Amino acid sequence: MGYDLKTKERRYCLECGEPLDYGDRSDKKFCSCGCRNSYHNKSHHNGRVIKHRVNAALERNHDVLGKLLRMGVTAMSLVDLAQMGFKPEYITSFIKRGTRTECHCYDMRYYMTPTRIFSLERSYLL
Ligand SMILES: [Zn+2]
């Protein structure tokens, strides 16, 4: 019992997993400056990966919407859009208009329901 309690209280370096000394400040998270640095370098790296992924998804969405407009299509189901690589959760902004949600992907503008988008148009006045 006492052992379990001690294990719970014991904290470990977020980078290398080494136990931190009991006497250390309670907010200490790393065993050394080296570990702190490599942990933060990695999380910056992760931030870049995430930004790259989001940007790629937005560009993909923009490409898909542009393709639709070139074909004269202004409404499509989310199922069909997904097959073209469109991910509805990636938008650059949205605005509530009454009960409708107007979504923007850069200069593209459309309304979205849980099942489809409609009134797709290119807008130069965002
Ligand atoms: Zn460490």
Side-chain angles (χ1 to χ4, degrees), residues 13-18 20 29-32 35-36:
C13 173
L14 289 180
E15 174 64 15
C16 71
E18 283 296 311
L20 300 175
K29 294 175 182 142
F30 304 98
C31 68
S32 65
C35 276
R36 185 195 294 117

Side-chain angles (χ1 to χ4, degrees), residues 36-46 48:
R36 185 195 294 117
N37 286 341
S38 59
Y39 181 87
H40 284 122
N41 285 343
K42 238 183 281 172
S43 57
H44 284 157
H45 173 72
N46 289 342
R48 276 199 297 275

Side-chain angles (χ1 to χ4, degrees), residues 101-115:
T101 302
E102 184 184 290
C103 297
H104 305 141
C105 180
Y106 301 108
D107 56 338
M108 300 295 183
R109 178 161 84 173
Y110 53 92
Y111 287 108
M112 186 156 70
T113 75
T115 57

Side-chain angles (χ1 to χ4, degrees), residues 42-55:
K42 238 183 281 172
S43 57
H44 284 157
H45 173 72
N46 289 342
R48 276 199 297 275
V49 170
I50 288 163
K51 277 193 247 173
H52 175 77
R53 258 186 223 146
V54 171
N55 289 341

Side-chain angles (χ1 to χ4, degrees), residues 59-73 81 84 86 105 107-108 120-122:
E59 277 175 34
R60 182 73 194 262
N61 281 359
H62 190 260
D63 285 349
V64 170
L65 296 172
K67 222 174 275 177
L68 295 186
L69 280 185
R70 281 196 296 279
M71 296 186 303
V73 176
L81 282 164
M84 297 175 76
F86 184 86
C105 180
D107 56 338
M108 300 295 183
L120 171 64
E121 62 184 359
R122 196 182 280 268

